[in-house]
């Protein structure tokens, strides 16, 4: 597609439920990031996928958070047993990155606003 | 640890004024610096990308400069308009995976700009 697509755009879930957030990067982009933005806060790095390399999960806040990227394209961020503090906007970005030393810019999706009630 | 600081945190100007937003970073070993715009409840829109070897980039009424050695970048907006009201974020891309849990794209907390008609 022309841009990074995220779905759903909004998600309201009950505390304790699992949620899945989807990101469709720009075709051909090999690098994919997930960020979280809480109300009034800056962007918090969650996870980074680069090609076929093992993902960098060092930003995931707890073991309730996991992410996959299938076939080097679509990525899914899963939050298990959601808590109210998980409420935030989850942003996905992709970049053309033929290698880790790439200096291309990033394109962001519109985000998924998650509300845990 | 790379830190990105944006000053001021908020700025209110009358329509038509020229203005400058500031971004500073603590480690000059960057690949590039990118300025983004974020409207309330939306994702990030890329405005300008400056490679580490470049001094400035221009797009329409926007001009971004980069002084890597001093760890500074400015975003200049000419003849501001109410439609420019948004939060402006700068982000630096680092070599490899710097600092583990930060990821390699480090954001400032943004400057919230309000342009009054």
């Amino acid at each position: 597609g022309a841009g990074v697509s995220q779905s759903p755009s909004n998600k309201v879930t009950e505390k304790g439920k699992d949620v899945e957030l989807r990101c469709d990067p720009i075709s051909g982009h090999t690098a994919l990031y997930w960020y979280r933005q809480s109300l009034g806060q800056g962007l918090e790095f969650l996870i980074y996928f680069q090609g076929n390399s093992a993902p960098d999960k060092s930003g995931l806040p707890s073991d309730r958070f996991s992410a996959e990227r299938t076939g080097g394209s679509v990525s899914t961020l899963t939050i298990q047993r959601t808590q109210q503090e998980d409420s935030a906007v989850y942003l996905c970005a992709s970049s053309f990155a033929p290698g880790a030393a790439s200096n291309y810019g990033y394109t962001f999706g519109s985000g998924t606003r998650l509300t845990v009630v | 640890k790379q830190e990105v600081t944006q000053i001021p945190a908020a700025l209110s100007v009358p329509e038509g004024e020229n203005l400058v937003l500031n971004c500073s970073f603590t480690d000059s070993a960057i690949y590039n610096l990118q300025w983004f715009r974020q409207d309330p409840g939306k994702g990030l829109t890329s405005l300008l990308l400056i490679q580490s070897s470049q001094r400035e980039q221009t797009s329409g009424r926007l001009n971004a400069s980069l002084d890597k050695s001093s760890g500074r970048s400015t975003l200049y907006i000419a003849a501001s308009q109410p439609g420019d009201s948004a939060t402006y974020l700068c982000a630096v891309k680092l070599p490899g995976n710097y600092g583990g849990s930060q990821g390699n794209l480090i954001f400032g907390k943004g400057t919230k700009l309000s342009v009054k008609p």
Side-chain angles (χ1 to χ4, degrees):
Chain A
V4 177
S5 177
Q6 291 188 245
S7 60
S9 54
N10 280 285
K11 176 72 176 179
V12 179
T13 190
E14 292 181 354
K15 178 181 172 181
K17 300 282 190 184
D18 298 350
V19 295
E20 284 190 354
L21 313 180
R22 177 186 168 106
C23 174
D24 257 298
I26 292 174
S27 178
H29 280 195
T30 54
L32 187 148
Y33 280 85
W34 283 98
Y35 280 85
R36 177 169 73 174
Q37 188 176 35
S38 301
L39 186 65
Q41 300 298 311
L43 272 78
E44 176 188 5
F45 165 72
L46 296 177
I47 189 169
Y48 165 51
F49 295 89
Q50 169 59 48
N52 295 322
S53 302
D56 177 3
K57 304 179 182 181
S58 54
L60 295 178
S62 78
D63 59 8
R64 295 186 295 106
F65 288 73
S66 63
E68 290 185 342
R69 189 176 185 192
T70 53
S73 181
V74 172
S75 177
T76 302
L77 177 69
T78 300
I79 309 173
Q80 297 178 309
R81 304 181 303 281
T82 51
Q83 304 294 314
Q84 287 185 326
E85 62 262 28
D86 299 334
S87 296
V89 176
Y90 290 81
L91 293 164
C92 174
S94 73
S95 175
F96 178 63
S102 163
N103 58 5
Y104 288 85
Y106 289 79
T107 302
F108 277 79
S110 297
T112 293
R113 179 175 297 279
L114 176 66
T115 304
V116 182
V117 298
Chain B
K1 179 181 174 181
Q2 175 74 273
E3 292 184 1
V4 179
T5 303
Q6 291 189 244
I7 295 172
L11 181 63
S12 181
V13 300
E15 181 177 5
E17 246 189 43
N18 303 324
L19 58 100
V20 174
L21 308 181
N22 296 291
C23 173
S24 62
F25 46 96
T26 54
D27 189 331
S28 62
I30 66 170
Y31 272 153
N32 61 45
L33 184 145
Q34 199 164 356
W35 281 93
F36 295 90
R37 168 188 173 137
Q38 186 174 32
D39 293 283
K42 305 292 185 182
L44 277 66
T45 300
S46 179
L47 298 174
L48 290 164
L49 170 69
I50 311 177
Q51 302 297 347
S52 62
S53 58
Q54 296 175 323
R55 297 285 292 181
E56 66 177 344
Q57 283 286 331
T58 298
S59 175
R61 294 183 294 108
L62 306 180
N63 176 279
S65 68
L66 174 64
D67 184 342
K68 203 174 72 160
S69 61
S70 66
R72 286 188 287 194
S73 176
T74 61
L75 179 67
Y76 175 82
I77 303 177
S80 58
Q81 302 171 358
D84 295 331
S85 298
T87 296
Y88 291 80
L89 295 155
C90 75
V92 297
K93 182 169 182 187
L94 309 178
N97 190 30
Y98 184 107
S101 62
Q102 284 189 296
N104 68 2
L105 186 66
I106 313 299
F107 282 86
K109 294 193 184 303
T111 293
K112 185 174 182 179
L113 174 65
S114 176
V115 181
K116 305 293 186 186

